[in-house]
Amino acid sequence: MSKLGLIAGGGALPVSVAGRCEAEGRPVFVIRLAGFADPHLARYPGVDAGMAEIGRVLSALKKAGCDAVCFAGTVNRPDFKSLKPDFKGMTLLPGIIAEAAKGDDALLRKILSVFEAEGYVIEGADDILGGETLPAGALGAFSPTPAQIADLKKALHVAEKAGELDIGQGAVVCDGLVLAVEAQEGTDAMLARVAGLPADLRGSAADRKGALGKAPKPIQDLRVDMPVMGARTIELAAAAGLAGVGGVAGKLILIDHPAIVEAADRLGLFVWGETR
Amino acid sequence: MSKLGLIAGGGALPVSVAGRCEAEGRPVFVIRLAGFADPHLARYPGVDAGMAEIGRVLSALKKAGCDAVCFAGTVNRPDFKSLKPDFKGMTLLPGIIAEAAKGDDALLRKILSVFEAEGYVIEGADDILGGETLPAGALGAFSPTPAQIADLKKALHVAEKAGELDIGQGAVVCDGLVLAVEAQEGTDAMLARVAGLPADLRGSAADRKGALGKAPKPIQDLRVDMPVMGARTIELAAAAGLAGVGGVAGKLILIDHPAIVEAADRLGLFVWGETR
């Protein structure tokens, strides 16, 4: 089995990827991006690296004997002026900054191309997680009503349209009204915002209404940045009074599938995979 | 001069409209929508009314001798189940609810049609305010740099695309990245959210970057719901580190033009009208 270099940003996804490698006996070496990577990743072989230390990252991957790399987790777009690039970083940074001005997607593709040029196979977190993506239909005990499925379809439509503009991956719709669209604040902050909207715009624990939809950007490189959902997504959706959450079947990574089902069934929310 | 029935939701726009009528000596009668209308409107002749008391509103307008009506200000979409309609409201509500499921815009057009059917001329707040809309080019002392105008153009593009989906009117872009898109939370809450994003994603008072763009929804009835900007918009944009704010020339109502210019010049922000 090839050795994986895991380039780890923030959040639960890189921890899941490293854990899966360990469970399968696959050797993994973790590049912990300073200021982002979860502290739990320190127990794997690896190094801490700044975002612009590209030469250091490449030589650490080479020294560790990695054959493939996986980018996983969230990274805030840096203030390029404050980065401290190493020598390799200095030669690459102008081209990266030029792509960054075109949006997140162009930036991501540029960074991938640097690693591909060094001969690494790029693996998607979803492949490594062994197909733990959203299946079609109901995942837990609850299924959406016709009104709820209409809200979910609209939320996915809005998320896809927003994705075409390289804005984000998620939207919340209730009774046909778009309550929120996700951009740089992320899904958790968007759901917290919906919970703070006037009560007559949204549902409640007693009368759940509306849905969160998460869809990949059409131009997004799914190997790196497929939308994710975890038990926390369900809990925040419940706190916002939503009836459920959904995505495109096969295009949403489930972080800890049993925990998601447990939370959804306990709180009375549907989890639904739409087919495209 | 015809007598105006002002149907007043929340915010500063209805207060500006009533004040303008008073200054011009035009008789005005204010329907203060309960829970929304600014308390300052109580000094004008008028009545308080619930959102579903359509019969009461129509008879009050008739009794007051109004010839025209103006809808102005923000109203949260009601929970239709909790409305207390009067008799006329009961006959109209099913049709209104059916339109509401299609989005804010359909709801608005339906409500306008009820008043037009009763013979009232619908006047836009912008017309009454005497053309106090954003002019083309720089409004105050500051003009955007090329990078800032690129951010503003992208923000307006995103706002227009979001508007096509009946989502909202505003977006914030910084260094080519869409930081936030406005939906039901409104412009003020969106700007507060941008101020809370990580510092390396946005500008600061020392290094202003990025722009707020506000554009009307393409399908929006400009008589009722043209985007607005006030001095508070400038102050919140400044707190979010933005370099400026802008809109489409002629399609953004200025609430208190001199106060906007004073705030922008004091805080160092541009206010810019794009031509279409």
Side-chain angles (χ1 to χ4, degrees), chain A residues 76-79 81 101-102 104 154 157-158 161 165 167 175-181 183-185 193 197-198 200-201 207, chain B residues 76-79 81 101 104 154 157-158 161 165 167 175-181 183-185 193 197-198 200-201 207:
Chain A
N76 291 330
R77 174 178 275 247
D79 179 354
K81 276 179 283 187
K102 299 178 193 164
D104 274 355
K154 184 162 181 180
H157 177 71
V158 168
K161 288 287 178 183
L165 295 163
I167 293 173
D175 286 343
L177 187 69
V178 182
L179 296 189
V181 176
Q184 290 294 315
E185 74 278 17
R193 172 163 94 246
L197 286 176
D200 50 10
L201 280 178
D207 179 24
Chain B
N76 292 330
R77 175 179 278 248
D79 178 354
K81 276 179 284 189
D104 275 355
K154 184 163 181 179
H157 177 69
V158 168
K161 288 287 177 184
L165 295 163
I167 294 173
D175 286 344
L177 188 68
V178 181
L179 297 189
V181 177
Q184 290 296 317
E185 75 278 18
R193 170 162 97 249
L197 286 176
D200 49 11
L201 280 178
D207 179 24

Tab-separated table of all heavy atoms in Angstrom, chain A residues 76-79 81 101-102 104 154 157-158 161 165 167 175-181 183-185 193 197-198 200-201 207, chain B residues 76-79 81 101 104 154 157-158 161 165 167 175-181 183-185 193 197-198 200-201 207:
chain	number	residue	atom	x	y	z
A	76	ASN	N	-7.995	28.905	6.106
A	76	ASN	CA	-8.399	30.253	5.736
A	76	ASN	C	-7.448	30.768	4.676
A	76	ASN	O	-6.249	30.539	4.738
A	76	ASN	CB	-8.340	31.196	6.939
A	76	ASN	CG	-9.403	30.854	7.956
A	76	ASN	OD1	-10.461	30.362	7.602
A	76	ASN	ND2	-9.106	31.095	9.207
A	77	ARG	N	-8.019	31.461	3.729
A	77	ARG	CA	-7.194	32.092	2.701
A	77	ARG	C	-6.221	33.045	3.404
A	77	ARG	O	-6.624	33.889	4.195
A	77	ARG	CB	-8.116	32.876	1.777
A	77	ARG	CG	-7.442	33.697	0.747
A	77	ARG	CD	-8.497	34.351	-0.087
A	77	ARG	NE	-8.909	33.428	-1.124
A	77	ARG	CZ	-8.674	33.647	-2.430
A	77	ARG	NH1	-8.053	34.737	-2.815
A	77	ARG	NH2	-9.074	32.802	-3.324
A	78	PRO	N	-4.919	32.926	3.167
A	78	PRO	CA	-3.967	33.748	3.916
A	78	PRO	C	-3.893	35.181	3.393
A	78	PRO	O	-4.292	35.471	2.275
A	78	PRO	CB	-2.637	33.040	3.659
A	78	PRO	CG	-2.813	32.422	2.304
A	78	PRO	CD	-4.270	32.042	2.202
A	79	ASP	N	-3.384	36.061	4.242
A	79	ASP	CA	-2.968	37.371	3.778
A	79	ASP	C	-1.589	37.158	3.150
A	79	ASP	O	-0.593	36.969	3.842
A	79	ASP	CB	-2.871	38.338	4.959
A	79	ASP	CG	-2.414	39.716	4.511
A	79	ASP	OD1	-2.061	39.865	3.314
A	79	ASP	OD2	-2.398	40.635	5.330
A	81	LYS	N	0.586	38.876	1.893
A	81	LYS	CA	1.677	39.784	2.254
A	81	LYS	C	2.377	39.360	3.542
A	81	LYS	O	3.523	39.686	3.775
A	81	LYS	CB	1.128	41.205	2.410
A	81	LYS	CG	1.030	41.943	1.077
A	81	LYS	CD	0.456	43.333	1.251
A	81	LYS	CE	-1.043	43.262	1.440
A	81	LYS	NZ	-1.694	44.549	1.453
A	101	ALA	N	-6.334	35.436	-6.954
A	101	ALA	CA	-7.223	36.569	-7.241
A	101	ALA	C	-8.439	36.115	-8.040
A	101	ALA	O	-9.454	36.793	-8.082
A	101	ALA	CB	-6.463	37.651	-8.012
A	102	LYS	N	-8.341	34.939	-8.682
A	102	LYS	CA	-9.475	34.447	-9.480
A	102	LYS	C	-10.482	33.671	-8.646
A	102	LYS	O	-11.534	33.269	-9.156
A	102	LYS	CB	-8.955	33.539	-10.607
A	102	LYS	CG	-8.026	34.253	-11.581
A	102	LYS	CD	-7.515	33.281	-12.640
A	102	LYS	CE	-6.361	33.881	-13.432
A	102	LYS	NZ	-5.633	32.843	-14.176
A	104	ASP	N	-11.204	30.863	-4.950
A	104	ASP	CA	-10.725	29.699	-4.214
A	104	ASP	C	-10.390	28.534	-5.129
A	104	ASP	O	-9.422	27.805	-4.913
A	104	ASP	CB	-11.815	29.215	-3.246
A	104	ASP	CG	-11.747	29.964	-1.937
A	104	ASP	OD1	-10.825	30.775	-1.754
A	104	ASP	OD2	-12.615	29.727	-1.086
A	154	LYS	N	-34.788	23.287	-3.239
A	154	LYS	CA	-34.469	24.691	-3.497
A	154	LYS	C	-33.126	25.063	-2.857
A	154	LYS	O	-32.327	25.790	-3.447
A	154	LYS	CB	-35.594	25.599	-2.984
A	154	LYS	CG	-35.361	27.067	-3.322
A	154	LYS	CD	-36.609	27.923	-3.221
A	154	LYS	CE	-36.299	29.370	-3.600
A	154	LYS	NZ	-37.470	30.244	-3.532
A	157	HIS	N	-30.451	23.774	-5.027
A	157	HIS	CA	-30.375	24.594	-6.238
A	157	HIS	C	-29.616	25.896	-5.957
A	157	HIS	O	-28.724	26.293	-6.715
A	157	HIS	CB	-31.795	24.892	-6.732
A	157	HIS	CG	-31.838	25.787	-7.928
A	157	HIS	ND1	-31.436	25.390	-9.178
A	157	HIS	CD2	-32.228	27.078	-8.067
A	157	HIS	CE1	-31.581	26.386	-10.044
A	157	HIS	NE2	-32.056	27.420	-9.381
A	158	VAL	N	-29.956	26.537	-4.848
A	158	VAL	CA	-29.278	27.787	-4.486
A	158	VAL	C	-27.798	27.514	-4.201
A	158	VAL	O	-26.914	28.262	-4.639
A	158	VAL	CB	-29.959	28.450	-3.273
A	158	VAL	CG1	-29.110	29.575	-2.711
A	158	VAL	CG2	-31.337	28.966	-3.662
A	161	LYS	N	-26.029	27.067	-7.499
A	161	LYS	CA	-25.878	28.345	-8.202
A	161	LYS	C	-24.810	29.193	-7.520
A	161	LYS	O	-23.996	29.843	-8.177
A	161	LYS	CB	-27.208	29.106	-8.225
A	161	LYS	CG	-28.243	28.497	-9.151
A	161	LYS	CD	-27.881	28.757	-10.591
A	161	LYS	CE	-28.857	28.116	-11.559
A	161	LYS	NZ	-28.451	28.330	-12.964
A	165	LEU	N	-20.677	30.477	-8.772
A	165	LEU	CA	-20.034	31.779	-8.588
A	165	LEU	C	-18.844	31.676	-7.640
A	165	LEU	O	-18.280	32.682	-7.240
A	165	LEU	CB	-21.055	32.785	-8.051
A	165	LEU	CG	-22.207	33.104	-9.005
A	165	LEU	CD1	-23.355	33.768	-8.255
A	165	LEU	CD2	-21.712	34.000	-10.120
A	167	ILE	N	-18.781	30.849	-4.527
A	167	ILE	CA	-19.116	31.506	-3.264
A	167	ILE	C	-19.016	30.530	-2.104
A	167	ILE	O	-18.336	30.794	-1.114
A	167	ILE	CB	-20.565	32.072	-3.326
A	167	ILE	CG1	-20.647	33.204	-4.334
A	167	ILE	CG2	-21.014	32.526	-1.947
A	167	ILE	CD1	-22.052	33.703	-4.578
A	175	ASP	N	-39.950	27.162	3.940
A	175	ASP	CA	-41.200	27.605	3.303
A	175	ASP	C	-40.939	28.351	1.997
A	175	ASP	O	-41.596	29.355	1.702
A	175	ASP	CB	-42.019	28.489	4.253
A	175	ASP	CG	-42.671	27.663	5.364
A	175	ASP	OD1	-42.762	26.427	5.235
A	175	ASP	OD2	-43.084	28.271	6.369
A	176	GLY	N	-39.959	27.887	1.235
A	176	GLY	CA	-39.675	28.487	-0.067
A	176	GLY	C	-38.800	29.718	-0.024
A	176	GLY	O	-38.392	30.238	-1.064
A	177	LEU	N	-38.491	30.196	1.176
A	177	LEU	CA	-37.708	31.428	1.322
A	177	LEU	C	-36.254	31.076	1.628
A	177	LEU	O	-35.982	30.255	2.501
A	177	LEU	CB	-38.306	32.237	2.474
A	177	LEU	CG	-37.763	33.639	2.699
A	177	LEU	CD1	-38.179	34.558	1.560
A	177	LEU	CD2	-38.275	34.191	4.020
A	178	VAL	N	-35.325	31.714	0.920
A	178	VAL	CA	-33.898	31.484	1.185
A	178	VAL	C	-33.511	32.249	2.450
A	178	VAL	O	-33.445	33.478	2.446
A	178	VAL	CB	-33.023	31.939	0.001
A	178	VAL	CG1	-31.553	31.647	0.303
A	178	VAL	CG2	-33.451	31.268	-1.282
A	179	LEU	N	-33.264	31.531	3.531
A	179	LEU	CA	-32.928	32.196	4.794
A	179	LEU	C	-31.466	32.603	4.850
A	179	LEU	O	-31.136	33.632	5.443
A	179	LEU	CB	-33.238	31.280	5.987
A	179	LEU	CG	-34.702	30.899	6.205
A	179	LEU	CD1	-34.854	30.183	7.548
A	179	LEU	CD2	-35.605	32.126	6.167
A	180	ALA	N	-30.579	31.780	4.271
A	180	ALA	CA	-29.147	32.086	4.392
A	180	ALA	C	-28.374	31.392	3.291
A	180	ALA	O	-28.733	30.308	2.843
A	180	ALA	CB	-28.622	31.652	5.758
A	181	VAL	N	-27.282	32.025	2.882
A	181	VAL	CA	-26.365	31.464	1.905
A	181	VAL	C	-24.971	31.490	2.525
A	181	VAL	O	-24.571	32.485	3.121
A	181	VAL	CB	-26.381	32.287	0.590
A	181	VAL	CG1	-25.360	31.748	-0.393
A	181	VAL	CG2	-27.771	32.260	-0.022
A	183	ALA	N	-20.975	31.639	2.689
A	183	ALA	CA	-19.769	32.057	1.970
A	183	ALA	C	-18.572	31.698	2.854
A	183	ALA	O	-18.423	30.539	3.226
A	183	ALA	CB	-19.828	33.539	1.619
A	184	GLN	N	-17.754	32.672	3.229
A	184	GLN	CA	-16.522	32.353	3.957
A	184	GLN	C	-16.754	32.012	5.429
A	184	GLN	O	-15.848	31.537	6.108
A	184	GLN	CB	-15.528	33.517	3.851
A	184	GLN	CG	-14.949	33.664	2.454
A	184	GLN	CD	-14.073	32.487	2.068
A	184	GLN	OE1	-13.243	32.030	2.842
A	184	GLN	NE2	-14.249	31.983	0.851
A	185	GLU	N	-17.970	32.261	5.946
A	185	GLU	CA	-18.184	32.003	7.374
A	185	GLU	C	-18.317	30.517	7.666
A	185	GLU	O	-18.142	30.087	8.805
A	185	GLU	CB	-19.436	32.758	7.870
A	185	GLU	CG	-20.785	32.171	7.435
A	185	GLU	CD	-21.197	32.592	6.033
A	185	GLU	OE1	-20.331	33.051	5.271
A	185	GLU	OE2	-22.380	32.453	5.692
A	193	ARG	N	-26.520	31.493	12.517
A	193	ARG	CA	-27.208	32.723	12.095
A	193	ARG	C	-28.692	32.459	11.873
A	193	ARG	O	-29.531	33.276	12.257
A	193	ARG	CB	-26.541	33.209	10.810
A	193	ARG	CG	-27.210	34.346	10.117
A	193	ARG	CD	-26.247	34.983	9.127
A	193	ARG	NE	-26.302	34.513	7.755
A	193	ARG	CZ	-25.344	33.855	7.138
A	193	ARG	NH1	-24.247	33.500	7.779
A	193	ARG	NH2	-25.455	33.517	5.878
A	197	LEU	N	-32.415	34.160	13.536
A	197	LEU	CA	-33.420	34.910	12.761
A	197	LEU	C	-34.743	34.946	13.531
A	197	LEU	O	-34.978	34.104	14.399
A	197	LEU	CB	-33.636	34.253	11.393
A	197	LEU	CG	-32.526	34.427	10.346
A	197	LEU	CD1	-32.859	33.623	9.086
A	197	LEU	CD2	-32.325	35.894	9.979
A	198	PRO	N	-35.611	35.918	13.214
A	198	PRO	CA	-36.908	35.976	13.893
A	198	PRO	C	-37.641	34.629	13.811
A	198	PRO	O	-37.592	33.956	12.775
A	198	PRO	CB	-37.668	37.049	13.112
A	198	PRO	CG	-36.608	37.909	12.515
A	198	PRO	CD	-35.449	36.994	12.232
A	200	ASP	N	-40.623	33.743	13.444
A	200	ASP	CA	-41.685	33.493	12.464
A	200	ASP	C	-41.144	33.244	11.055
A	200	ASP	O	-41.909	32.957	10.132
A	200	ASP	CB	-42.747	34.604	12.475
A	200	ASP	CG	-42.143	35.977	12.382
A	200	ASP	OD1	-40.938	36.068	12.127
A	200	ASP	OD2	-42.872	36.961	12.571
A	201	LEU	N	-39.832	33.349	10.885
A	201	LEU	CA	-39.233	33.034	9.583
A	201	LEU	C	-38.811	31.581	9.476
A	201	LEU	O	-38.524	31.089	8.392
A	201	LEU	CB	-37.972	33.880	9.364
A	201	LEU	CG	-38.139	35.312	8.899
A	201	LEU	CD1	-36.775	35.970	8.786
A	201	LEU	CD2	-38.847	35.360	7.559
A	207	ASP	N	-42.020	22.489	15.891
A	207	ASP	CA	-42.612	22.549	14.545
A	207	ASP	C	-41.467	22.731	13.541
A	207	ASP	O	-41.234	23.828	13.049
A	207	ASP	CB	-43.611	23.723	14.476
A	207	ASP	CG	-44.238	23.857	13.093
A	207	ASP	OD1	-44.288	22.855	12.360
A	207	ASP	OD2	-44.665	24.986	12.738
B	76	ASN	N	-40.710	41.391	8.159
B	76	ASN	CA	-40.369	39.972	8.158
B	76	ASN	C	-41.533	39.190	7.590
B	76	ASN	O	-42.691	39.464	7.894
B	76	ASN	CB	-40.081	39.466	9.570
B	76	ASN	CG	-38.816	40.060	10.131
B	76	ASN	OD1	-37.887	40.371	9.388
B	76	ASN	ND2	-38.787	40.225	11.439
B	77	ARG	N	-41.201	38.196	6.795
B	77	ARG	CA	-42.224	37.301	6.269
B	77	ARG	C	-42.957	36.660	7.451
B	77	ARG	O	-42.329	36.102	8.356
B	77	ARG	CB	-41.528	36.236	5.442
B	77	ARG	CG	-42.420	35.162	4.920
B	77	ARG	CD	-41.589	34.203	4.109
B	77	ARG	NE	-41.406	34.725	2.781
B	77	ARG	CZ	-41.977	34.133	1.708
B	77	ARG	NH1	-42.722	33.066	1.846
B	77	ARG	NH2	-41.789	34.626	0.522
B	78	PRO	N	-44.280	36.764	7.496
B	78	PRO	CA	-44.997	36.259	8.669
B	78	PRO	C	-45.128	34.732	8.662
B	78	PRO	O	-44.980	34.095	7.632
B	78	PRO	CB	-46.377	36.890	8.519
B	78	PRO	CG	-46.551	37.043	7.051
B	78	PRO	CD	-45.176	37.325	6.490
B	79	ASP	N	-45.370	34.195	9.838
B	79	ASP	CA	-45.826	32.815	9.935
B	79	ASP	C	-47.320	32.868	9.627
B	79	ASP	O	-48.122	33.312	10.450
B	79	ASP	CB	-45.579	32.280	11.346
B	79	ASP	CG	-46.087	30.846	11.496
B	79	ASP	OD1	-46.713	30.335	10.543
B	79	ASP	OD2	-45.853	30.266	12.545
B	81	LYS	N	-49.666	30.926	9.539
B	81	LYS	CA	-50.606	30.229	10.426
B	81	LYS	C	-50.983	31.066	11.648
B	81	LYS	O	-52.036	30.868	12.241
B	81	LYS	CB	-49.976	28.896	10.893
B	81	LYS	CG	-50.174	27.767	9.893
B	81	LYS	CD	-49.529	26.477	10.363
B	81	LYS	CE	-48.021	26.549	10.183
B	81	LYS	NZ	-47.348	25.267	10.412
B	101	ALA	N	-45.250	31.141	-1.341
B	101	ALA	CA	-44.413	29.935	-1.468
B	101	ALA	C	-43.449	30.066	-2.631
B	101	ALA	O	-42.461	29.358	-2.712
B	101	ALA	CB	-45.296	28.703	-1.639
B	104	ASP	N	-40.245	35.933	-2.101
B	104	ASP	CA	-40.591	37.282	-1.679
B	104	ASP	C	-41.193	38.102	-2.809
B	104	ASP	O	-42.101	38.903	-2.605
B	104	ASP	CB	-39.331	38.010	-1.199
B	104	ASP	CG	-39.027	37.712	0.259
B	104	ASP	OD1	-39.848	37.026	0.901
B	104	ASP	OD2	-37.992	38.168	0.746
B	154	LYS	N	-17.320	42.699	-8.725
B	154	LYS	CA	-17.628	41.302	-8.439
B	154	LYS	C	-18.753	41.214	-7.402
B	154	LYS	O	-19.649	40.371	-7.522
B	154	LYS	CB	-16.386	40.543	-7.954
B	154	LYS	CG	-16.642	39.064	-7.750
B	154	LYS	CD	-15.368	38.239	-7.679
B	154	LYS	CE	-15.706	36.761	-7.497
B	154	LYS	NZ	-14.503	35.907	-7.435
B	157	HIS	N	-21.923	41.855	-9.134
B	157	HIS	CA	-22.261	40.692	-9.968
B	157	HIS	C	-22.875	39.585	-9.107
B	157	HIS	O	-23.920	39.015	-9.464
B	157	HIS	CB	-21.001	40.189	-10.671
B	157	HIS	CG	-21.208	38.954	-11.492
B	157	HIS	ND1	-21.938	38.951	-12.657
B	157	HIS	CD2	-20.798	37.681	-11.311
B	157	HIS	CE1	-21.960	37.727	-13.159
B	157	HIS	NE2	-21.284	36.931	-12.359
B	158	VAL	N	-22.251	39.302	-7.976
B	158	VAL	CA	-22.773	38.268	-7.075
B	158	VAL	C	-24.142	38.679	-6.537
B	158	VAL	O	-25.078	37.866	-6.478
B	158	VAL	CB	-21.782	37.997	-5.928
B	158	VAL	CG1	-22.426	37.142	-4.834
B	158	VAL	CG2	-20.530	37.316	-6.460
B	161	LYS	N	-26.672	38.121	-9.261
B	161	LYS	CA	-26.945	36.692	-9.455
B	161	LYS	C	-27.778	36.158	-8.285
B	161	LYS	O	-28.712	35.371	-8.481
B	161	LYS	CB	-25.628	35.908	-9.553
B	161	LYS	CG	-24.878	36.144	-10.841
B	161	LYS	CD	-25.568	35.439	-12.003
B	161	LYS	CE	-24.876	35.715	-13.321
B	161	LYS	NZ	-25.616	35.114	-14.455
B	165	LEU	N	-32.016	34.701	-8.029
B	165	LEU	CA	-32.538	33.555	-7.289
B	165	LEU	C	-33.471	34.002	-6.160
B	165	LEU	O	-33.864	33.198	-5.318
B	165	LEU	CB	-31.379	32.733	-6.716
B	165	LEU	CG	-30.473	32.070	-7.769
B	165	LEU	CD1	-29.157	31.647	-7.155
B	165	LEU	CD2	-31.185	30.864	-8.372
B	167	ILE	N	-32.819	35.769	-3.560
B	167	ILE	CA	-32.159	35.547	-2.267
B	167	ILE	C	-32.020	36.850	-1.492
B	167	ILE	O	-32.421	36.945	-0.342
B	167	ILE	CB	-30.752	34.936	-2.479
B	167	ILE	CG1	-30.872	33.540	-3.081
B	167	ILE	CG2	-29.971	34.922	-1.182
B	167	ILE	CD1	-29.549	32.931	-3.475
B	175	ASP	N	-10.397	41.106	-2.198
B	175	ASP	CA	-9.326	40.449	-2.955
B	175	ASP	C	-9.867	39.330	-3.836
B	175	ASP	O	-9.261	38.259	-3.945
B	175	ASP	CB	-8.252	39.885	-2.014
B	175	ASP	CG	-7.385	40.993	-1.417
B	175	ASP	OD1	-7.420	42.115	-1.956
B	175	ASP	OD2	-6.693	40.726	-0.432
B	176	GLY	N	-11.008	39.551	-4.448
B	176	GLY	CA	-11.581	38.585	-5.381
B	176	GLY	C	-12.370	37.473	-4.732
B	176	GLY	O	-13.005	36.670	-5.409
B	177	LEU	N	-12.348	37.407	-3.402
B	177	LEU	CA	-13.018	36.321	-2.678
B	177	LEU	C	-14.368	36.808	-2.144
B	177	LEU	O	-14.452	37.879	-1.553
B	177	LEU	CB	-12.133	35.898	-1.506
B	177	LEU	CG	-12.540	34.662	-0.724
B	177	LEU	CD1	-12.394	33.412	-1.588
B	177	LEU	CD2	-11.663	34.540	0.520
B	178	VAL	N	-15.415	36.010	-2.359
B	178	VAL	CA	-16.743	36.378	-1.847
B	178	VAL	C	-16.779	36.075	-0.353
B	178	VAL	O	-16.794	34.919	0.060
B	178	VAL	CB	-17.855	35.601	-2.569
B	178	VAL	CG1	-19.224	36.038	-2.034
B	178	VAL	CG2	-17.777	35.810	-4.069
B	179	LEU	N	-16.781	37.105	0.469
B	179	LEU	CA	-16.765	36.897	1.920
B	179	LEU	C	-18.151	36.592	2.469
B	179	LEU	O	-18.288	35.823	3.409
B	179	LEU	CB	-16.204	38.131	2.645
B	179	LEU	CG	-14.759	38.499	2.355
B	179	LEU	CD1	-14.304	39.594	3.320
B	179	LEU	CD2	-13.844	37.289	2.471
B	180	ALA	N	-19.183	37.211	1.890
B	180	ALA	CA	-20.527	37.026	2.442
B	180	ALA	C	-21.580	37.369	1.411
B	180	ALA	O	-21.372	38.231	0.559
B	180	ALA	CB	-20.723	37.899	3.681
B	181	VAL	N	-22.702	36.673	1.507
B	181	VAL	CA	-23.865	36.930	0.658
B	181	VAL	C	-25.050	37.165	1.584
B	181	VAL	O	-25.254	36.424	2.548
B	181	VAL	CB	-24.142	35.741	-0.280
B	181	VAL	CG1	-25.398	35.978	-1.100
B	181	VAL	CG2	-22.956	35.499	-1.199
B	183	ALA	N	-28.884	37.232	2.779
B	183	ALA	CA	-30.206	36.651	2.549
B	183	ALA	C	-31.158	37.330	3.535
B	183	ALA	O	-31.259	38.562	3.531
B	183	ALA	CB	-30.176	35.137	2.706
B	184	GLN	N	-31.826	36.561	4.396
B	184	GLN	CA	-32.841	37.157	5.280
B	184	GLN	C	-32.260	37.928	6.454
B	184	GLN	O	-32.992	38.619	7.165
B	184	GLN	CB	-33.783	36.067	5.791
B	184	GLN	CG	-34.700	35.508	4.719
B	184	GLN	CD	-35.668	36.528	4.166
B	184	GLN	OE1	-36.253	37.297	4.927
B	184	GLN	NE2	-35.821	36.564	2.860
B	185	GLU	N	-30.953	37.804	6.712
B	185	GLU	CA	-30.397	38.515	7.865
B	185	GLU	C	-30.271	40.010	7.626
B	185	GLU	O	-30.184	40.779	8.584
B	185	GLU	CB	-29.034	37.913	8.247
B	185	GLU	CG	-27.857	38.282	7.329
B	185	GLU	CD	-27.790	37.419	6.076
B	185	GLU	OE1	-28.801	36.774	5.735
B	185	GLU	OE2	-26.720	37.400	5.433
B	193	ARG	N	-21.076	40.288	10.355
B	193	ARG	CA	-20.462	38.968	10.204
B	193	ARG	C	-19.086	39.077	9.537
B	193	ARG	O	-18.141	38.392	9.941
B	193	ARG	CB	-21.395	38.113	9.352
B	193	ARG	CG	-20.874	36.814	8.871
B	193	ARG	CD	-22.029	35.927	8.450
B	193	ARG	NE	-22.362	35.905	7.048
B	193	ARG	CZ	-23.456	36.390	6.492
B	193	ARG	NH1	-24.363	37.006	7.234
B	193	ARG	NH2	-23.690	36.274	5.211
B	197	LEU	N	-15.014	37.869	10.667
B	197	LEU	CA	-14.198	36.868	9.955
B	197	LEU	C	-12.728	37.030	10.346
B	197	LEU	O	-12.321	38.090	10.817
B	197	LEU	CB	-14.354	37.042	8.436
B	197	LEU	CG	-15.677	36.587	7.816
B	197	LEU	CD1	-15.708	36.926	6.328
B	197	LEU	CD2	-15.899	35.092	8.006
B	198	PRO	N	-11.915	35.967	10.153
B	198	PRO	CA	-10.486	36.088	10.471
B	198	PRO	C	-9.866	37.304	9.786
B	198	PRO	O	-10.193	37.618	8.635
B	198	PRO	CB	-9.902	34.780	9.911
B	198	PRO	CG	-11.037	33.816	9.914
B	198	PRO	CD	-12.265	34.631	9.642
B	200	ASP	N	-7.104	37.904	8.433
B	200	ASP	CA	-6.335	37.786	7.193
B	200	ASP	C	-7.215	37.584	5.960
B	200	ASP	O	-6.720	37.524	4.835
B	200	ASP	CB	-5.263	36.688	7.289
B	200	ASP	CG	-5.814	35.380	7.813
B	200	ASP	OD1	-7.051	35.279	7.903
B	200	ASP	OD2	-5.030	34.478	8.122
B	201	LEU	N	-8.515	37.475	6.153
B	201	LEU	CA	-9.434	37.373	5.013
B	201	LEU	C	-9.929	38.742	4.553
B	201	LEU	O	-10.491	38.862	3.471
B	201	LEU	CB	-10.679	36.564	5.392
B	201	LEU	CG	-10.586	35.053	5.402
B	201	LEU	CD1	-11.912	34.471	5.849
B	201	LEU	CD2	-10.225	34.540	4.016
B	207	ASP	N	-5.651	49.266	6.726
B	207	ASP	CA	-5.410	48.760	5.364
B	207	ASP	C	-6.750	48.307	4.785
B	207	ASP	O	-7.053	47.128	4.743
B	207	ASP	CB	-4.402	47.589	5.428
B	207	ASP	CG	-4.131	46.994	4.042
B	207	ASP	OD1	-4.322	47.707	3.039
B	207	ASP	OD2	-3.745	45.813	3.985
